[in-house]
Amino acid sequence: MSDIVSQIATLRAQIEEYNYQYYVLNDPSVPDAEYDRAMRELIGLENEHPDLITPDSPTQKVGGEALSAFEQVAHEVPMLSLDNVFDDEGFLAFTKRLQDRLGTSDVSFCCEPKLDGLAVSILYENGVLVRAATRGDGQTGENITANVRTITSVPLKLRGEGIPVRLEVRGEVFMPKAGFEQLNKRAAQLGEKQFANPRNAAAGSLRQLDSKITAKRPLAFYAYSTGVIEGDNQPPESHYQGLMRLKSWGLPVSTEVKVMTTESDVVAYYKDILARRAELPYEIDGVVLKVDSLVQQQTLGFVSRAPRWATAFKFPAEEELTLLEDVEFQV
Ligand code: NAD
């Protein structure tokens, strides 16, 4: 037993360090696949020994802390993370859990690409952008309003009918592949440090103290959910309807978002996006599956760090992908 306790302590310390490097310093020390492996090992051990779970375990927490260089923003509705599945088996276990809890097999999913960027919250009051914040640790984020205002695809003012009085839009700020390549090319020409990947570049660009620097970076935004909403005369019934409403108000929503009604259609959606991964103009590391009915979402609720009604169906890591392709090529 003392072996298990020390194994858990070692994994937690290791993951805390990875989190610090990734979320606070924007400078990951290991590939995501390695991080995910360590996390899965810890979750496995904690599932076998639930009495050893502590509230400060990385399995119970979201992201990293907010940098004190920025003003802090308390999220009115916590910004959570997502649970992960890595294969069909994991996905089917996820849907089985949902169906058992809901007492029905009639569950549709809103399927979305999992953009590899940075989660942000953007608050509109009477249709006007008044504040933007990072996710931070899910409870407290960083005030990055001036930086978000420089992103061309983020409307400063919404358009159309029925806009709630207060509307918090959530989505991903990311750097499209083409912009990332240009940025790194220029950095190389100037002999400056290059970014490891587009996610890193997006995070580094958004958390600049000087918004003039952010304005020069090729950032983009897609909305994928909402937080606090007040004064909404016609609330949507499904997540997809909610996204289409955001689109009608001028917010960009990925054109790859689709509702699937059967498990096999969800798997087909995953495979289709995986096959087109390289062609997409932005980096993704999987697809996100969300129970589409908002009533069902409410019934399912949340656990400490993630909603029960959603999961990220992750793609194989790129380096593992290369190996797989090599094997297929040789055969
Ligand atoms: P996550 O990235 O697995 O999932 C949650 C996030 O997905 C959200 O916060 C949001 O930003 C994003 N997202 C993208 N598209 C979305 C959509 N359509 N709908 C909803 N959310 C969407 O969770 P996380 O807690 O941000 O990070 C964990 C992951 O980050 C790990 O699995 C690992 O891949 C990576 N990570 C790596 C290191 C490292 O050292 N390499 C360290 C920490 C985290």
Side-chain angles (χ1 to χ4, degrees):
M1 192 65 186
S2 72
D3 270 6
I4 304 282
V5 171
S6 75
Q7 219 177 326
I8 286 180
T10 306
L11 279 168
R12 284 180 184 162
Q14 205 173 37
I15 293 169
E16 290 292 358
E17 184 55 26
Y18 294 159
N19 279 346
Y20 179 73
Q21 299 276 342
Y22 182 90
Y23 291 113
V24 181
L25 303 184
N26 283 329
D27 195 9
S29 50
V30 289
D32 287 354
E34 178 49 37
Y35 177 90
D36 289 341
R37 260 192 287 271
M39 195 61 142
R40 261 181 289 172
E41 196 182 334
L42 179 58
I43 291 170
L45 288 171
E46 288 186 346
N47 283 345
E48 280 166 31
H49 306 276
D51 47 315
L52 297 179
I53 299 177
T54 54
D56 64 349
S57 169
T59 59
Q60 311 297 306
K61 294 193 301 181
V62 173
E65 72 239 54
L67 282 183
S68 58
F70 291 90
E71 188 193 312
Q72 313 242 309
V73 172
H75 295 301
E76 289 169 63
V77 179
M79 288 185 82
L80 300 179
S81 181
L82 287 168
D83 276 340
N84 294 310
V85 298
F86 295 87
D87 48 31
D88 289 12
E89 222 172 52
F91 165 64
L92 293 177
F94 163 72
T95 56
K96 168 102 180 39
R97 278 198 301 278
L98 294 183
Q99 291 170 356
D100 288 351
R101 273 188 184 269
L102 292 169
T104 174
S105 57
D106 188 9
V107 184
S108 293
F109 290 95
C110 187
C111 306
E112 309 172 11
K114 185 168 182 297
L115 302 153
D116 206 3
L118 200 66
V120 294
S121 143
I122 307 179
L123 183 65
Y124 289 90
E125 284 179 356
N126 300 307
V128 176
L129 189 160
V130 292
R131 196 192 65 201
T134 60
R135 186 183 69 176
D137 65 2
Q139 305 292 333
T140 309
E142 297 148 330
N143 187 328
I144 48 158
T145 312
N147 293 346
V148 167
R149 287 175 63 92
T150 69
I151 303 172
T152 332
S153 51
V154 173
L156 298 180
K157 195 170 183 309
L158 302 180
R159 45 185 285 172
E161 301 296 311
I163 300 167
V165 179
R166 284 184 91 225
L167 169 70
E168 182 195 351
V169 177
R170 292 179 175 180
E172 197 87 346
V173 168
F174 59 97
M175 192 174 284
K177 289 174 189 167
F180 168 72
E181 275 153 28
Q182 271 171 14
L183 185 72
N184 262 357
K185 207 164 137 192
R186 214 164 350 151
Q189 281 163 356
L190 297 171
E192 291 170 0
K193 192 177 173 210
Q194 299 183 45
F195 289 105
N197 54 51
R199 189 224 163 255
N200 235 237
S205 302
L206 206 52
R207 296 165 87 211
Q208 288 287 335
L209 292 172
D210 180 357
S211 58
K212 285 199 215 76
I213 299 178
T214 313
K216 289 190 196 140
R217 301 283 170 82
L219 294 173
F221 172 76
Y222 273 142
Y224 53 62
S225 70
T226 49
V228 70
I229 302 186
E230 286 168 19
D232 189 357
N233 293 329
Q234 273 185 312
E237 285 176 9
S238 71
H239 177 78
Y240 183 78
Q241 255 180 33
L243 290 184
M244 291 307 109
R245 252 176 21 141
L246 295 182
K247 196 170 174 180
S248 75
W249 295 330
L251 288 151
V253 173
S254 165
T255 50
E256 301 288 349
V257 174
K258 294 202 170 74
V259 176
M260 296 295 164
T261 50
T262 65
E263 287 164 346
S264 58
D265 283 351
V266 171
V267 172
Y269 174 90
Y270 166 91
K271 288 189 174 151
D272 172 57
I273 300 270
L274 176 58
R276 292 189 292 115
R277 183 184 196 177
E279 290 161 33
L280 294 175
Y282 41 77
E283 281 211 342
I284 57 174
D285 60 345
V287 297
V288 183
L289 313 172
K290 299 173 183 170
V291 168
D292 196 37
S293 151
L294 296 184
V295 170
Q296 287 184 336
Q297 282 192 8
Q298 230 168 356
T299 307
L300 290 162
F302 299 86
V303 286
S304 59
R305 67 182 289 278
R308 279 205 195 91
W309 43 263
T311 197
F313 194 163
K314 288 239 179 156
F315 291 156
E318 300 261 42
E319 62 265 39
E320 287 172 9
L321 251 190
T322 318
L323 281 178
L324 269 178
E325 277 164 6
D326 283 353
V327 170
E328 275 169 16
F329 187 69
Q330 283 165 22
V331 174

